[in-house]
Amino acid sequence: MSGAGMKLGIQMNTKAGTKIADTKADTKMGMAGMKRWMRANKGFLVFLFLFGIFRTAVADWNPIPSASMHPNILEGDVVFVNRLAFNLKLPLTNIVIARLGQPQRGDIVTFYSPSDGTRLIKRLIALPGDRVEMRGERLTINGRQADYSLLDSVPETVAGGVDLVAQRVSETLGAQEHDIQIMPKVDARRDFAPIVVPPDHYLMLGDNRDNSADSRYFGFVPRRLLIGRAERVLVSANITGNWLPRMDRFGMALH
């Protein structure tokens, strides 16, 4: 190798070595800065960790973005969810450690959709082993038809800004009574043949029966996908209108 070639090689190796040394120095400085930041914010990091444990294992709150639970839950409600109602889960995961309670027919439940994992809120209609069918919006569970009585009619705006008339109806399933809403002019699934709910699964329906993607579309919900029972509205704002708080809904119990 010529003298010029050797000199060029030495210069290139020297530059490469300098770059590697600079990179290592930058990495050390970055690590040192991160350690200083963590020491300075240790209390905040502990708070975030404990907050994560609380929200994933004890209690949570869900903002409501859709109309699928009208007339009982409105867009803009933020609902309190008791995560210990059914299962004890390993914090920060969905791993069930122990079963704490049994879901009941009529519970308002949050869960992960079995079709795409989206977090949903619906009413639990049928339990494992129940034989359930729907004919013309009317439910029959284990051979006993639910009771219905018309309460009133209200205007309802659906997708596309279309205004329709919604009928508010009282539905009684055994000893459990709640209000639902139907919209006769909406194209919806109002009928399904008798089916038996499999073990450890549940059938969920939205209270806004003709404007809800629920078990009629994605099937039964396995228990392992349950998050908790929605028990109360914490706060509420009219997000589809003037964004003003709805003070009358603050702290309202759900049933």
Side-chain angles (χ1 to χ4, degrees):
M1 181 181 292
S2 66
M6 290 180 64
K7 184 180 289 187
L8 179 60
I10 292 171
Q11 289 175 343
M12 291 178 66
N13 288 337
T14 302
K15 289 180 179 179
T18 302
K19 288 182 178 179
I20 292 172
D22 289 345
T23 300
K24 289 182 177 179
D26 291 343
T27 301
K28 288 181 179 179
M29 290 178 62
M31 292 294 293
M34 178 63 72
K35 288 179 180 179
R36 285 195 300 272
W37 183 88
M38 291 179 68
R39 283 196 297 268
N41 295 276
K42 182 168 58 177
F44 177 66
L45 292 174
V46 170
F47 167 77
L48 286 181
F49 178 72
L50 295 176
F51 181 71
I53 290 177
F54 179 81
R55 286 204 66 181
T56 58
V58 180
D60 198 359
W61 49 91
N62 277 29
I64 304 301
S66 74
S68 70
M69 286 295 289
H70 281 193
N72 300 299
I73 302 178
L74 308 179
E75 303 97 312
D77 285 349
V78 178
V79 300
F80 170 79
V81 178
N82 179 2
R83 279 181 169 263
L84 295 177
F86 309 132
N87 298 318
L88 176 63
K89 294 186 178 181
L90 187 67
L92 307 177
T93 75
N94 282 314
I95 299 173
V96 177
I97 300 174
R99 296 187 173 189
L100 301 179
Q102 291 299 326
Q104 300 298 315
R105 188 180 297 116
D107 283 349
I108 298 177
V109 176
T110 59
F111 59 94
Y112 296 108
S113 168
S115 62
D116 60 11
T118 302
R119 184 182 293 198
L120 301 174
I121 182 167
K122 307 292 179 187
R123 190 176 296 276
L124 193 158
I125 295 297
L127 302 168
D130 281 347
R131 186 176 187 271
V132 56
E133 64 178 301
M134 177 183 278
R135 299 293 181 189
E137 307 271 14
R138 294 175 175 268
L139 289 167
T140 299
I141 301 177
N142 299 326
R144 182 176 179 180
Q145 190 177 80
D147 295 324
Y148 296 88
S149 58
L150 180 64
L151 300 175
D152 60 3
S153 297
V154 297
E156 178 89 356
T157 301
V158 297
V162 179
D163 293 326
L164 298 174
V165 174
Q167 296 176 347
R168 300 279 171 87
V169 177
S170 173
E171 177 179 74
T172 303
L173 301 170
Q176 211 284 329
E177 181 181 355
H178 52 265
D179 295 345
I180 65 169
Q181 179 170 288
I182 60 175
M183 292 182 285
K185 292 188 177 181
V186 171
D187 184 18
R189 296 185 181 179
R190 298 181 170 88
D191 305 272
F192 57 80
I195 48 175
V196 176
V197 182
D200 268 353
H201 286 69
Y202 303 91
L203 186 141
M204 308 286 189
L205 296 179
D207 287 345
N208 196 355
R209 292 289 160 80
D210 298 327
N211 190 19
S212 173
D214 46 40
S215 286
R216 292 170 291 179
Y217 300 88
F218 53 65
F220 301 113
V221 177
R223 180 175 176 133
R224 61 182 172 80
L225 295 183
L226 301 185
I227 299 172
R229 183 173 58 232
E231 298 183 348
R232 191 170 296 274
V233 176
L234 292 176
V235 295
S236 181
N238 184 5
I239 64 172
T240 62
N242 54 23
W243 283 88
L244 291 176
R246 293 184 286 230
M247 302 299 295
D248 60 316
R249 297 186 64 80
F250 282 35
M252 185 186 76
L254 295 173
H255 57 83

